[in-house]
Amino acid sequence: MAETGSDVGDMKHDSVSSPGISDQEKEMATNAFEAFKAGSYDESLKHLDSLQELNKEDYKVTMNKAITEFYKSGQTTTSTLKQTLITLKNQMHTAVDDIDGLDDVENSILNYNQAVIHYHMRQYSESISIGEKLYQFLEPFEEKFAQAICFLLVDLYLLTFQPEKALHLLAVLEKLTVKDGNSKNGKGESTYSTNKESSSLKAEFTAMIEAAKSKMHQYKVRAYIQMKSLKACKREIKSVMNTSGNSAPSLFLKSNFEYLRGNYRKAVKLLNSSNIAEHPGPLKTGECVRCMFWNNLGCIHFAMGKHNLGLFYFKKALQENDHVCAQLGDGSNGQAAKKFTGIPMCALLANKRYELLYNCGIQLLHIGRPLAAFECLMEAVQVYHSNPRLWLRLAECCITANKGSSEQETKGLPSKKGIVQAVVGQGYHRKIVLASQSAQNTIYSEGQSAAIPVASMEFAAICLRNALLLLPEHQQHDSKPDNGSKSCSQSGTTESGSETSDACSGKTQEGDKFIPAAPSSPLRKQEVENLRCSILACSAYVALALGDNLMALNHAEKLLHQTKLSGSLKFLGHLYAAEALISLDRISDAIAHLNPENVTDVSLGVSSSEQDQGSDKGDLEPVESSGKQTPLCYPSSVSSARATMLFNLGSAYCLRSEYEKARKCLHQAASMVNTKEIPPEAILLGVYLELQNGNTQLALQIIKRNQLLPSVKPASSPDLRKKPLPFQSSQPVQPIQTPSSFTQVQRK
């Protein structure tokens, strides 16, 4: 969750400084401002009404009245204030894009107030646009107002993952703070000396300066965490602990730092030591620290590979979030949120439901509950519909939910019931009916639109198409290589939580771009390339499952032409291309793809020389060093992968009636892997070949023992090989035609 702490400043504008007004108007404005600061909003409104009667054309009085009424309502009439500011802006005939000179500085308060409202309504792009225009004229502003603009922009840059810009502004803020401190302690001393409360004002000013410095240190830590610059972050962490002590924000930041370093136990210990009970609460700060606490624990345990425990913590965070929403009077979930009324403005940012649902969905996908994950991610995608990685995760939910029995895929060789569909008759007339390939495939829903969000393969195809369209078309676009993952204390999602600290170099280049992927961290250059490969692999798999062989071949060929392709996806690309070609009756082209020499690597990531700028192992391979094992349905070594290619190559030869070549491929593959790793389709192919060869006894032995190479000798003589095939019309046996049925696509 975001440790925001944005100092958006006092939205009340003091009319005393306005030029060309009489002494009476100055006195009224001063009285109104003093009453506002004291919290006497009714009295302030009376003074402002009197002031407006004297000067009806001054829009600042109308703005101050709107702001005073806003504070009087407990800051719950955000939409009304926003509409008033828009009306005033239209009356002034000014727009942010028209700010081009010092003459427009007078309207800066109006624009700043609009930026503040956009910030709290999560309209960050609009708020940044206004803030950057105001920043161009920072010099003539008062120090306090200039600081407010800078703090607002820093917070916005961090929320939108632009840490370099945030650090630049923090450097400007440091200069403003030093300048402000020197002016108050120097030339401004005489002003304070005329006041009876000079000592208390000076102490208050010193405390304000120290608070600003502490806040700047915290912002720097957040920026360095996003950049994964651990050395610089370590230095700033010491400054934060010195200025803030063991406060909840400082301990959360230090825990995040240890989390990035891989010190998960220490990160948990730091979180547990934070006293979150002392936090003022979301109604005053807009932050639910309890929700952040449980979310961060979920992120840490996700990175440790403890997904069930991580899911437990995310559910706790969701419960805490729902409790906060209930405290806000159904505002964050009901109609009030849509109108932005009835809720304090700062509390509009408190609801983190969709970020938490995103995290829950990723965790559920990891622990093998794709339907539950699909429900969570479908709710999250309504808000984060421009995230290509989220669309891929939705497609993976559909694929996992439709790929058949997980028991057969995870336990290796199934029982004989997996091959023998039925036994008909008795004695001499006893016949064995083998399962056909079509019986093992999943039956997909028919008669309804593919656009209906259900976990079907048709909907998976739509999700993958969306994911591809959201990626940049040209791969030469540069992205920020070190614009790190969203931190654990900054709405950290499990995707960003999976990022390791291996690439924490902190090096950046000016002009680099990144692809936004809210709520997780933006996609860096190598992540975009790897994500494209994963999407193409899944697209080929889904197209094969739907029978669209031409589209499957197109996706597989595109996948094989990617410049930086992991060994695992290259292996799958050849398999999927071969299957599509076989279905298109282009056997010779398929045999070229099924050459075992095409497999030289089955690693799940690119080589170390290719991942200098980070890799997109993303949220589905969180930490390789955490002991996460490759699923058994995927070849664990080059030899087993080549054996899979040989099994499928034997099927291709069989379709061309080259049975001897097929038998050699089958036996060579069987000798390369453990007996339990032989897929049931290969057993069926062995039975088919023996029946083609007239060796009925050996075919029966293969079925009974469920072994491709039974240890018993066949009872037949070599002459039996010339006998015709004893096919029965009621027991069709087919060769393997779909390698995807026993080589599953891997989530990247």
Side-chain angles (χ1 to χ4, degrees), residues 490-510:
Q490 302 167 9
S491 290
T493 67
T494 53
E495 292 212 6
S496 60
S498 67
E499 309 255 355
T500 62
S501 58
D502 296 336
C504 301
S505 61
K507 299 177 183 177
T508 56
Q509 294 179 358
E510 289 295 329

Side-chain angles (χ1 to χ4, degrees), residues 165-182:
K165 290 184 177 180
L167 287 173
H168 172 74
L169 270 181
L170 287 170
V172 175
L173 264 172
E174 284 183 339
K175 294 179 181 178
L176 285 174
T177 305
V178 172
K179 178 183 176 182
D180 195 13
N182 292 336

Side-chain angles (χ1 to χ4, degrees), residues 276-293:
I276 59 177
E278 295 181 356
H279 195 266
L283 290 174
K284 293 184 178 180
T285 63
E287 298 170 345
C288 178
V289 177
R290 289 182 177 274
C291 189
M292 284 192 282
F293 174 79

Side-chain angles (χ1 to χ4, degrees), residues 407-427:
E407 292 183 1
Q408 290 186 5
E409 292 170 0
T410 55
K411 294 183 179 179
L413 187 67
S415 64
K416 283 187 285 186
K417 294 180 181 179
I419 296 176
V420 180
Q421 192 176 39
V423 177
V424 182
Q426 294 180 352

Side-chain angles (χ1 to χ4, degrees), residues 178-483:
V178 172
K179 178 183 176 182
D180 195 13
N182 292 336
S183 64
K184 297 299 182 184
N185 292 327
K187 296 179 181 179
E189 190 69 32
S190 60
T191 305
Y192 283 109
S193 62
T194 60
N195 197 317
K196 295 180 180 179
E197 301 177 353
S198 59
S199 59
S200 61
L201 287 174
K202 191 171 182 179
E204 182 182 349
F205 170 75
T206 305
M208 185 182 68
I209 293 294
E210 291 301 319
K213 289 181 179 179
S214 176
K215 188 180 296 184
M216 283 189 284
H217 286 306
Q218 292 182 19
Y219 279 132
K220 282 185 179 180
V221 171
R222 289 175 56 185
Y224 287 132
I225 283 174
Q226 287 191 7
M227 296 169 63
K228 292 189 175 181
S229 181
L230 295 187
K231 289 184 179 179
C233 186
K234 187 175 182 179
R235 292 194 300 267
E236 287 298 327
I237 283 286
K238 293 180 180 178
S239 300
V240 169
M241 300 306 291
N242 290 334
T243 55
S244 303
N246 290 330
S247 63
S250 59
L251 288 173
F252 271 51
L253 287 172
K254 190 171 183 181
S255 172
N256 195 356
F257 170 69
E258 297 297 339
Y259 159 82
L260 282 182
R261 296 176 68 187
N263 298 333
Y264 303 125
R265 294 186 182 276
K266 189 173 181 180
V268 172
K269 186 177 180 181
L270 286 166
L271 279 179
N272 289 329
S273 64
S274 60
N275 191 359
I276 59 177
E278 295 181 356
H279 195 266
L283 290 174
K284 293 184 178 180
T285 63
E287 298 170 345
C288 178
V289 177
R290 289 182 177 274
C291 189
M292 284 192 282
F293 174 79
W294 295 118
N295 175 76
N296 294 353
L297 282 178
C299 289
I300 294 171
H301 284 87
F302 175 89
M304 296 170 69
K306 299 179 179 180
H307 302 302
N308 283 290
L309 195 53
L311 179 62
F312 169 78
Y313 288 128
F314 284 134
K315 286 184 177 179
K316 293 278 286 183
L318 265 174
Q319 292 173 2
E320 197 67 44
N321 187 77
D322 292 342
H323 177 66
V324 169
C325 293
Q327 283 184 331
L328 298 176
D330 297 329
S332 293
N333 288 326
Q335 294 296 323
K338 296 179 181 179
K339 298 180 181 179
F340 300 102
T341 56
I343 317 168
M345 187 175 68
C346 67
L348 293 175
L349 294 171
N351 187 13
K352 304 293 183 182
R353 175 174 177 79
Y354 295 101
E355 293 94 325
L356 293 171
L357 283 171
Y358 185 92
N359 288 350
C360 286
I362 300 301
Q363 290 281 32
L364 287 165
L365 188 57
H366 270 77
I367 60 180
R369 296 172 58 186
L371 294 178
F374 182 82
E375 295 299 325
C376 291
L377 295 180
M378 271 309 303
E379 194 167 346
V381 84
Q382 297 176 35
V383 177
Y384 304 113
H385 47 77
S386 60
N387 183 349
R389 194 154 48 185
L390 177 52
W391 286 108
L392 173 62
R393 302 309 172 221
L394 275 170
E396 287 174 343
C397 290
C398 300
I399 292 171
T400 308
N402 285 277
K403 69 180 182 181
S405 172
S406 59
E407 292 183 1
Q408 290 186 5
E409 292 170 0
T410 55
K411 294 183 179 179
L413 187 67
S415 64
K416 283 187 285 186
K417 294 180 181 179
I419 296 176
V420 180
Q421 192 176 39
V423 177
V424 182
Q426 294 180 352
Y428 181 77
H429 298 287
R430 183 171 177 267
K431 292 180 175 61
I432 298 173
V433 180
L434 301 181
S436 65
Q437 187 66 35
S438 59
Q440 294 177 351
N441 287 339
T442 307
I443 300 175
Y444 303 104
S445 58
E446 295 181 0
Q448 64 181 12
S449 172
I452 295 177
V454 293
S456 64
M457 296 298 270
E458 291 86 354
F459 188 71
I462 295 176
C463 294
L464 292 167
R465 196 176 305 126
N466 290 346
L468 273 178
L469 289 172
L470 287 168
L471 290 180
E473 216 168 300
H474 303 290
Q475 299 182 18
Q476 64 265 26
H477 282 281
D478 291 330
S479 58
K480 293 191 177 183
D482 294 291
N483 198 29

Side-chain angles (χ1 to χ4, degrees), residues 665-705:
C665 289
L666 208 59
H667 290 181
Q668 184 182 352
S671 64
M672 294 172 66
V673 295
N674 191 295
T675 305
K676 293 183 178 181
E677 295 181 10
I678 298 176
E681 290 85 357
I683 303 291
L684 287 174
L685 180 59
V687 172
Y688 177 83
L689 288 173
E690 295 306 328
L691 290 175
Q692 275 284 11
N693 198 36
N695 200 340
T696 309
Q697 294 299 320
L698 186 54
L700 287 172
Q701 288 294 329
I702 292 174
I703 295 171
K704 289 178 181 179
R705 294 175 177 268

Side-chain angles (χ1 to χ4, degrees), residues 42-43 101 147 151 195 212 281 309 326 411 469 581 591 625 728:
D42 290 328
E43 183 182 350
Q147 284 183 1
F151 271 124
N195 197 317
L309 195 53
K411 294 183 179 179
L469 289 172
L581 288 166
I591 288 174
S625 60
Q728 299 288 336

